[in-house]
Amino acid sequence: MDKLKISEQRIIQTITTIITNGYIVGFMKGKIFTGNSKFICVPGLNCYSCPGAVGSCPIGSLQAVLGGRKHNFSFYVLGFIMLFGVLLGRFVCGFLCPFGFLQDLLHKIKLPKIKVPKRIDKPLRYLKYAILLIPVILLPIFLTNQYGMAQPYFCQWICPAGTLEGGIPLLIKNEPLRETIGFLFNWKMGILVLIIAVSIFIYRPFCKYICPLGAFYSLFNKFSFYQMNVDKLKCNGCKTCEKQCKMNVKITKDINSVECIRCGECKKACPKGAITSGVYLEGTVGVTKTNEHTFHQ
Amino acid sequence: MRKIELTKLNIRYALLISSFLFVGVGILRGEHLVVLKKAVNICLECIGVG
């Protein structure tokens, strides 16, 4: 049963990655998809310059609108992010994000794992909110050129997904693009290599500390329709779930914490079957007693 | 306790409705065209050569 549950997450991650990057011809020709579906934002961090991408990255789109001449606020992109957030919260991170999937796979490599000390881990968790606020929102609005336009600062200087999904496959197939490689590409490759290497030893470092999209979705974790729940009547307080949680969530106190990516590892670890998850249409959940809520699993 | 639950429930549905309204307003403002224009051209900055 455990193995089946693990494979469920991997299956969903694989399917989502394939669906959102389904333009296989793009990889073969070194060109990106130019169809109309690209006006729709996908839930995960998925670069629209990936040759296979059939939708748009919400973070890239947000910067494109904010950094354009016409608008200083993007109802459209925020609407998409709110929609995914209120429906699923950080379930998107756990199941629907291709870059989260990559980090999961890297962490499977059998090498010693590192647990970041609390005094470093805790303040670093706030970094993703600063990244959301400064390079994703404020700089594209205020740091503009003489035409009132701004660069997508996060994509340009930080995002490793763009380098991996867009940069590498496009540069492999395009000689003219390869000739333009300079400091910026080397900088971004450095970030990508660093995150790949760290992901082997630390669970999802990009999601924990850097990802502005995860930061956004985390704000919805307590309000989303998809919720985690601990049944206090069944829970014996053994904290096996907390020992198992790689995101270091205090499950018995705050299971729908901003850091929970709804991976379901706690649910599998619980010897009492006290942890459930699903779509709750009525009431709120978290740490409750049985039969208090309408629950559709 | 019940009141807090109801508030959270209301927030949840309010956010859901707002998200659809936001997307609608964004379309009326033509924001989807900005996204489409950006997404159908290779973003050189995003891939690190811009």
mmCIF file of all heavy atoms in Angstrom, chain A residues 219-255:
data_model
loop_
_atom_site.group_PDB
_atom_site.id
_atom_site.type_symbol
_atom_site.label_atom_id
_atom_site.label_comp_id
_atom_site.label_asym_id
_atom_site.label_seq_id
_atom_site.Cartn_x
_atom_site.Cartn_y
_atom_site.Cartn_z
ATOM 1 N N LEU A 219 0.314 31.032 1.190
ATOM 2 C CA LEU A 219 -0.645 31.940 1.830
ATOM 3 C C LEU A 219 -2.064 31.362 1.793
ATOM 4 O O LEU A 219 -2.936 31.775 2.556
ATOM 5 C CB LEU A 219 -0.628 33.310 1.132
ATOM 6 C CG LEU A 219 0.736 34.008 1.051
ATOM 7 C CD1 LEU A 219 0.639 35.286 0.236
ATOM 8 C CD2 LEU A 219 1.288 34.307 2.439
ATOM 9 N N PHE A 220 -2.290 30.413 0.899
ATOM 10 C CA PHE A 220 -3.627 29.826 0.746
ATOM 11 C C PHE A 220 -3.777 28.491 1.474
ATOM 12 O O PHE A 220 -4.852 27.910 1.474
ATOM 13 C CB PHE A 220 -3.948 29.627 -0.739
ATOM 14 C CG PHE A 220 -4.058 30.908 -1.507
ATOM 15 C CD1 PHE A 220 -2.956 31.447 -2.141
ATOM 16 C CD2 PHE A 220 -5.260 31.586 -1.580
ATOM 17 C CE1 PHE A 220 -3.038 32.633 -2.849
ATOM 18 C CE2 PHE A 220 -5.371 32.770 -2.281
ATOM 19 C CZ PHE A 220 -4.257 33.302 -2.921
ATOM 20 N N ASN A 221 -2.699 27.988 2.058
ATOM 21 C CA ASN A 221 -2.752 26.635 2.633
ATOM 22 C C ASN A 221 -3.868 26.461 3.663
ATOM 23 O O ASN A 221 -4.485 25.415 3.735
ATOM 24 C CB ASN A 221 -1.398 26.266 3.262
ATOM 25 C CG ASN A 221 -0.662 25.240 2.425
ATOM 26 O OD1 ASN A 221 -1.038 24.957 1.290
ATOM 27 N ND2 ASN A 221 0.386 24.673 2.973
ATOM 28 N N LYS A 222 -4.114 27.483 4.455
ATOM 29 C CA LYS A 222 -5.141 27.364 5.495
ATOM 30 C C LYS A 222 -6.545 27.561 4.940
ATOM 31 O O LYS A 222 -7.528 27.203 5.580
ATOM 32 C CB LYS A 222 -4.875 28.373 6.606
ATOM 33 C CG LYS A 222 -3.644 28.028 7.428
ATOM 34 C CD LYS A 222 -3.605 28.753 8.736
ATOM 35 C CE LYS A 222 -2.247 28.692 9.387
ATOM 36 N NZ LYS A 222 -1.660 27.369 9.502
ATOM 37 N N PHE A 223 -6.657 28.152 3.754
ATOM 38 C CA PHE A 223 -7.974 28.467 3.207
ATOM 39 C C PHE A 223 -8.362 27.593 2.019
ATOM 40 O O PHE A 223 -9.469 27.697 1.514
ATOM 41 C CB PHE A 223 -8.011 29.941 2.762
ATOM 42 C CG PHE A 223 -7.673 30.894 3.858
ATOM 43 C CD1 PHE A 223 -6.444 31.526 3.889
ATOM 44 C CD2 PHE A 223 -8.568 31.148 4.888
ATOM 45 C CE1 PHE A 223 -6.111 32.403 4.908
ATOM 46 C CE2 PHE A 223 -8.257 32.020 5.914
ATOM 47 C CZ PHE A 223 -7.028 32.651 5.923
ATOM 48 N N SER A 224 -7.449 26.771 1.556
ATOM 49 C CA SER A 224 -7.731 26.014 0.329
ATOM 50 C C SER A 224 -8.787 24.940 0.558
ATOM 51 O O SER A 224 -8.998 24.486 1.681
ATOM 52 C CB SER A 224 -6.451 25.380 -0.203
ATOM 53 O OG SER A 224 -5.970 24.431 0.709
ATOM 54 N N PHE A 225 -9.448 24.548 -0.511
ATOM 55 C CA PHE A 225 -10.446 23.479 -0.425
ATOM 56 C C PHE A 225 -9.762 22.143 -0.100
ATOM 57 O O PHE A 225 -10.329 21.324 0.582
ATOM 58 C CB PHE A 225 -11.233 23.376 -1.741
ATOM 59 C CG PHE A 225 -12.252 24.463 -1.886
ATOM 60 C CD1 PHE A 225 -11.938 25.654 -2.513
ATOM 61 C CD2 PHE A 225 -13.532 24.308 -1.383
ATOM 62 C CE1 PHE A 225 -12.867 26.671 -2.631
ATOM 63 C CE2 PHE A 225 -14.471 25.318 -1.491
ATOM 64 C CZ PHE A 225 -14.134 26.499 -2.122
ATOM 65 N N TYR A 226 -8.561 21.945 -0.626
ATOM 66 C CA TYR A 226 -7.812 20.728 -0.306
ATOM 67 C C TYR A 226 -7.124 20.947 1.042
ATOM 68 O O TYR A 226 -6.371 21.907 1.210
ATOM 69 C CB TYR A 226 -6.771 20.418 -1.388
ATOM 70 C CG TYR A 226 -6.110 19.072 -1.203
ATOM 71 C CD1 TYR A 226 -6.640 17.932 -1.782
ATOM 72 C CD2 TYR A 226 -4.959 18.938 -0.410
ATOM 73 C CE1 TYR A 226 -6.045 16.690 -1.590
ATOM 74 C CE2 TYR A 226 -4.367 17.701 -0.223
ATOM 75 C CZ TYR A 226 -4.907 16.589 -0.819
ATOM 76 O OH TYR A 226 -4.325 15.358 -0.622
ATOM 77 N N GLN A 227 -7.399 20.104 1.989
ATOM 78 C CA GLN A 227 -6.849 20.257 3.337
ATOM 79 C C GLN A 227 -6.315 18.943 3.882
ATOM 80 O O GLN A 227 -6.742 17.864 3.478
ATOM 81 C CB GLN A 227 -7.952 20.755 4.287
ATOM 82 C CG GLN A 227 -8.423 22.180 4.018
ATOM 83 C CD GLN A 227 -7.498 23.251 4.582
ATOM 84 O OE1 GLN A 227 -7.321 23.361 5.781
ATOM 85 N NE2 GLN A 227 -6.892 24.039 3.708
ATOM 86 N N MET A 228 -5.375 19.077 4.803
ATOM 87 C CA MET A 228 -4.893 17.935 5.581
ATOM 88 C C MET A 228 -5.608 17.986 6.924
ATOM 89 O O MET A 228 -5.972 19.069 7.389
ATOM 90 C CB MET A 228 -3.379 18.026 5.818
ATOM 91 C CG MET A 228 -2.523 18.182 4.584
ATOM 92 S SD MET A 228 -2.468 16.739 3.538
ATOM 93 C CE MET A 228 -1.595 15.573 4.581
ATOM 94 N N ASN A 229 -5.792 16.830 7.541
ATOM 95 C CA ASN A 229 -6.505 16.801 8.815
ATOM 96 C C ASN A 229 -5.921 15.745 9.757
ATOM 97 O O ASN A 229 -5.645 14.624 9.337
ATOM 98 C CB ASN A 229 -7.984 16.511 8.548
ATOM 99 C CG ASN A 229 -8.816 16.598 9.815
ATOM 100 O OD1 ASN A 229 -8.575 17.459 10.651
ATOM 101 N ND2 ASN A 229 -9.772 15.702 9.963
ATOM 102 N N VAL A 230 -5.727 16.123 11.029
ATOM 103 C CA VAL A 230 -5.322 15.156 12.055
ATOM 104 C C VAL A 230 -6.528 14.918 12.959
ATOM 105 O O VAL A 230 -7.082 15.870 13.509
ATOM 106 C CB VAL A 230 -4.172 15.684 12.934
ATOM 107 C CG1 VAL A 230 -3.749 14.621 13.949
ATOM 108 C CG2 VAL A 230 -2.990 16.094 12.105
ATOM 109 N N ASP A 231 -6.924 13.668 13.094
ATOM 110 C CA ASP A 231 -8.023 13.328 13.984
ATOM 111 C C ASP A 231 -7.460 13.102 15.391
ATOM 112 O O ASP A 231 -6.767 12.114 15.638
ATOM 113 C CB ASP A 231 -8.712 12.054 13.460
ATOM 114 C CG ASP A 231 -9.961 11.736 14.257
ATOM 115 O OD1 ASP A 231 -10.056 12.206 15.408
ATOM 116 O OD2 ASP A 231 -10.826 11.027 13.722
ATOM 117 N N LYS A 232 -7.784 14.014 16.278
ATOM 118 C CA LYS A 232 -7.231 13.965 17.642
ATOM 119 C C LYS A 232 -7.705 12.732 18.412
ATOM 120 O O LYS A 232 -7.036 12.284 19.357
ATOM 121 C CB LYS A 232 -7.604 15.236 18.409
ATOM 122 C CG LYS A 232 -6.574 16.337 18.259
ATOM 123 C CD LYS A 232 -5.275 15.982 19.004
ATOM 124 C CE LYS A 232 -4.201 17.021 18.798
ATOM 125 N NZ LYS A 232 -2.881 16.536 19.228
ATOM 126 N N LEU A 233 -8.841 12.193 18.029
ATOM 127 C CA LEU A 233 -9.337 11.007 18.737
ATOM 128 C C LEU A 233 -8.493 9.781 18.401
ATOM 129 O O LEU A 233 -8.338 8.881 19.214
ATOM 130 C CB LEU A 233 -10.807 10.738 18.374
ATOM 131 C CG LEU A 233 -11.812 11.776 18.889
ATOM 132 C CD1 LEU A 233 -13.217 11.420 18.433
ATOM 133 C CD2 LEU A 233 -11.763 11.877 20.406
ATOM 134 N N LYS A 234 -7.954 9.756 17.187
ATOM 135 C CA LYS A 234 -7.126 8.622 16.769
ATOM 136 C C LYS A 234 -5.648 8.842 17.095
ATOM 137 O O LYS A 234 -4.906 7.895 17.309
ATOM 138 C CB LYS A 234 -7.277 8.379 15.269
ATOM 139 C CG LYS A 234 -8.637 7.816 14.864
ATOM 140 C CD LYS A 234 -8.647 7.564 13.362
ATOM 141 C CE LYS A 234 -10.011 7.069 12.883
ATOM 142 N NZ LYS A 234 -10.069 7.016 11.419
ATOM 143 N N CYS A 235 -5.207 10.094 17.078
ATOM 144 C CA CYS A 235 -3.776 10.406 17.269
ATOM 145 C C CYS A 235 -3.325 10.043 18.683
ATOM 146 O O CYS A 235 -3.967 10.431 19.660
ATOM 147 C CB CYS A 235 -3.552 11.900 17.021
ATOM 148 S SG CYS A 235 -1.860 12.433 17.341
ATOM 149 N N ASN A 236 -2.209 9.295 18.764
ATOM 150 C CA ASN A 236 -1.693 8.927 20.087
ATOM 151 C C ASN A 236 -0.477 9.780 20.485
ATOM 152 O O ASN A 236 0.181 9.501 21.488
ATOM 153 C CB ASN A 236 -1.354 7.430 20.146
ATOM 154 C CG ASN A 236 -0.249 7.062 19.156
ATOM 155 O OD1 ASN A 236 0.296 7.932 18.470
ATOM 156 N ND2 ASN A 236 0.089 5.785 19.077
ATOM 157 N N GLY A 237 -0.192 10.789 19.661
ATOM 158 C CA GLY A 237 0.889 11.724 19.996
ATOM 159 C C GLY A 237 2.290 11.165 19.828
ATOM 160 O O GLY A 237 3.241 11.706 20.390
ATOM 161 N N CYS A 238 2.448 10.107 19.049
ATOM 162 C CA CYS A 238 3.773 9.487 18.897
ATOM 163 C C CYS A 238 4.733 10.331 18.047
ATOM 164 O O CYS A 238 5.936 10.148 18.093
ATOM 165 C CB CYS A 238 3.639 8.092 18.285
ATOM 166 S SG CYS A 238 3.107 8.095 16.553
ATOM 167 N N LYS A 239 4.176 11.244 17.258
ATOM 168 C CA LYS A 239 4.936 12.172 16.406
ATOM 169 C C LYS A 239 5.765 11.481 15.322
ATOM 170 O O LYS A 239 6.734 12.064 14.830
ATOM 171 C CB LYS A 239 5.819 13.097 17.254
ATOM 172 C CG LYS A 239 5.022 13.849 18.318
ATOM 173 C CD LYS A 239 5.513 15.238 18.542
ATOM 174 C CE LYS A 239 4.525 15.972 19.423
ATOM 175 N NZ LYS A 239 4.973 17.227 19.900
ATOM 176 N N THR A 240 5.373 10.267 14.975
ATOM 177 C CA THR A 240 6.032 9.582 13.852
ATOM 178 C C THR A 240 5.899 10.437 12.582
ATOM 179 O O THR A 240 6.821 10.531 11.780
ATOM 180 C CB THR A 240 5.370 8.201 13.612
ATOM 181 O OG1 THR A 240 5.378 7.496 14.839
ATOM 182 C CG2 THR A 240 6.084 7.400 12.541
ATOM 183 N N CYS A 241 4.736 11.064 12.442
ATOM 184 C CA CYS A 241 4.467 11.909 11.270
ATOM 185 C C CYS A 241 5.472 13.054 11.182
ATOM 186 O O CYS A 241 5.997 13.357 10.105
ATOM 187 C CB CYS A 241 3.042 12.448 11.328
ATOM 188 S SG CYS A 241 2.623 13.245 12.889
ATOM 189 N N GLU A 242 5.749 13.690 12.315
ATOM 190 C CA GLU A 242 6.658 14.838 12.316
ATOM 191 C C GLU A 242 8.093 14.416 12.030
ATOM 192 O O GLU A 242 8.850 15.157 11.404
ATOM 193 C CB GLU A 242 6.567 15.581 13.659
ATOM 194 C CG GLU A 242 5.215 16.263 13.815
ATOM 195 C CD GLU A 242 5.092 17.108 15.066
ATOM 196 O OE1 GLU A 242 6.092 17.324 15.758
ATOM 197 O OE2 GLU A 242 3.958 17.545 15.351
ATOM 198 N N LYS A 243 8.441 13.214 12.495
ATOM 199 C CA LYS A 243 9.788 12.712 12.208
ATOM 200 C C LYS A 243 9.923 12.414 10.709
ATOM 201 O O LYS A 243 10.997 12.533 10.124
ATOM 202 C CB LYS A 243 10.067 11.449 13.027
ATOM 203 C CG LYS A 243 10.329 11.738 14.500
ATOM 204 C CD LYS A 243 10.332 10.464 15.311
ATOM 205 C CE LYS A 243 10.005 10.745 16.774
ATOM 206 N NZ LYS A 243 9.400 9.609 17.466
ATOM 207 N N GLN A 244 8.818 12.006 10.097
ATOM 208 C CA GLN A 244 8.816 11.638 8.680
ATOM 209 C C GLN A 244 8.780 12.856 7.759
ATOM 210 O O GLN A 244 9.247 12.788 6.627
ATOM 211 C CB GLN A 244 7.590 10.749 8.411
ATOM 212 C CG GLN A 244 7.610 9.995 7.098
ATOM 213 C CD GLN A 244 8.695 8.920 7.062
ATOM 214 O OE1 GLN A 244 9.057 8.349 8.082
ATOM 215 N NE2 GLN A 244 9.216 8.661 5.876
ATOM 216 N N CYS A 245 8.219 13.980 8.252
ATOM 217 C CA CYS A 245 7.995 15.147 7.387
ATOM 218 C C CYS A 245 9.308 15.820 6.993
ATOM 219 O O CYS A 245 10.033 16.346 7.839
ATOM 220 C CB CYS A 245 7.092 16.159 8.090
ATOM 221 S SG CYS A 245 6.791 17.609 7.060
ATOM 222 N N LYS A 246 9.559 15.836 5.684
ATOM 223 C CA LYS A 246 10.817 16.419 5.205
ATOM 224 C C LYS A 246 10.726 17.941 5.098
ATOM 225 O O LYS A 246 11.737 18.599 4.878
ATOM 226 C CB LYS A 246 11.187 15.813 3.857
ATOM 227 C CG LYS A 246 11.452 14.313 3.909
ATOM 228 C CD LYS A 246 12.090 13.856 2.615
ATOM 229 C CE LYS A 246 11.983 12.370 2.427
ATOM 230 N NZ LYS A 246 10.866 11.963 1.557
ATOM 231 N N MET A 247 9.521 18.488 5.202
ATOM 232 C CA MET A 247 9.375 19.945 5.188
ATOM 233 C C MET A 247 9.383 20.502 6.610
ATOM 234 O O MET A 247 9.176 21.706 6.809
ATOM 235 C CB MET A 247 8.080 20.355 4.475
ATOM 236 C CG MET A 247 8.043 20.048 2.983
ATOM 237 S SD MET A 247 9.324 20.887 2.013
ATOM 238 C CE MET A 247 8.667 22.538 1.904
ATOM 239 N N ASN A 248 9.578 19.636 7.590
ATOM 240 C CA ASN A 248 9.660 20.015 9.016
ATOM 241 C C ASN A 248 8.405 20.734 9.523
ATOM 242 O O ASN A 248 8.496 21.738 10.235
ATOM 243 C CB ASN A 248 10.901 20.878 9.289
ATOM 244 C CG ASN A 248 12.166 20.260 8.736
ATOM 245 O OD1 ASN A 248 12.779 20.795 7.824
ATOM 246 N ND2 ASN A 248 12.534 19.102 9.234
ATOM 247 N N VAL A 249 7.253 20.198 9.164
ATOM 248 C CA VAL A 249 5.986 20.778 9.632
ATOM 249 C C VAL A 249 5.644 20.181 10.998
ATOM 250 O O VAL A 249 5.810 18.981 11.211
ATOM 251 C CB VAL A 249 4.850 20.477 8.614
ATOM 252 C CG1 VAL A 249 3.504 20.943 9.147
ATOM 253 C CG2 VAL A 249 5.149 21.122 7.272
ATOM 254 N N LYS A 250 5.165 21.027 11.914
ATOM 255 C CA LYS A 250 4.677 20.553 13.218
ATOM 256 C C LYS A 250 3.261 20.016 12.991
ATOM 257 O O LYS A 250 2.270 20.735 13.198
ATOM 258 C CB LYS A 250 4.667 21.699 14.241
ATOM 259 C CG LYS A 250 6.048 22.241 14.544
ATOM 260 C CD LYS A 250 6.795 21.337 15.516
ATOM 261 C CE LYS A 250 8.230 21.770 15.709
ATOM 262 N NZ LYS A 250 9.139 20.660 15.980
ATOM 263 N N ILE A 251 3.186 18.786 12.552
ATOM 264 C CA ILE A 251 1.919 18.240 12.064
ATOM 265 C C ILE A 251 0.834 18.183 13.142
ATOM 266 O O ILE A 251 -0.321 18.537 12.884
ATOM 267 C CB ILE A 251 2.168 16.851 11.434
ATOM 268 C CG1 ILE A 251 2.988 17.050 10.151
ATOM 269 C CG2 ILE A 251 0.849 16.138 11.111
ATOM 270 C CD1 ILE A 251 3.648 15.818 9.631
ATOM 271 N N THR A 252 1.193 17.762 14.336
ATOM 272 C CA THR A 252 0.156 17.614 15.366
ATOM 273 C C THR A 252 -0.375 18.962 15.858
ATOM 274 O O THR A 252 -1.429 19.033 16.461
ATOM 275 C CB THR A 252 0.698 16.804 16.563
ATOM 276 O OG1 THR A 252 1.927 17.397 17.000
ATOM 277 C CG2 THR A 252 0.951 15.357 16.179
ATOM 278 N N LYS A 253 0.374 20.025 15.594
ATOM 279 C CA LYS A 253 -0.091 21.356 16.020
ATOM 280 C C LYS A 253 -0.718 22.137 14.868
ATOM 281 O O LYS A 253 -1.714 22.811 15.019
ATOM 282 C CB LYS A 253 1.085 22.162 16.583
ATOM 283 C CG LYS A 253 1.520 21.717 17.965
ATOM 284 C CD LYS A 253 2.683 22.582 18.449
ATOM 285 C CE LYS A 253 3.251 21.997 19.738
ATOM 286 N NZ LYS A 253 4.623 22.452 19.984
ATOM 287 N N ASP A 254 -0.070 22.060 13.695
ATOM 288 C CA ASP A 254 -0.504 22.917 12.584
ATOM 289 C C ASP A 254 -0.253 22.187 11.259
ATOM 290 O O ASP A 254 0.678 22.501 10.532
ATOM 291 C CB ASP A 254 0.291 24.240 12.640
ATOM 292 C CG ASP A 254 -0.153 25.210 11.577
ATOM 293 O OD1 ASP A 254 -1.236 25.023 11.001
ATOM 294 O OD2 ASP A 254 0.594 26.178 11.309
ATOM 295 N N ILE A 255 -1.116 21.248 10.988
ATOM 296 C CA ILE A 255 -0.879 20.384 9.815
ATOM 297 C C ILE A 255 -0.997 21.146 8.497
ATOM 298 O O ILE A 255 -0.347 20.798 7.508
ATOM 299 C CB ILE A 255 -1.798 19.148 9.840
ATOM 300 C CG1 ILE A 255 -1.320 18.124 8.808
ATOM 301 C CG2 ILE A 255 -3.255 19.525 9.643
ATOM 302 C CD1 ILE A 255 -1.957 16.774 8.903
#
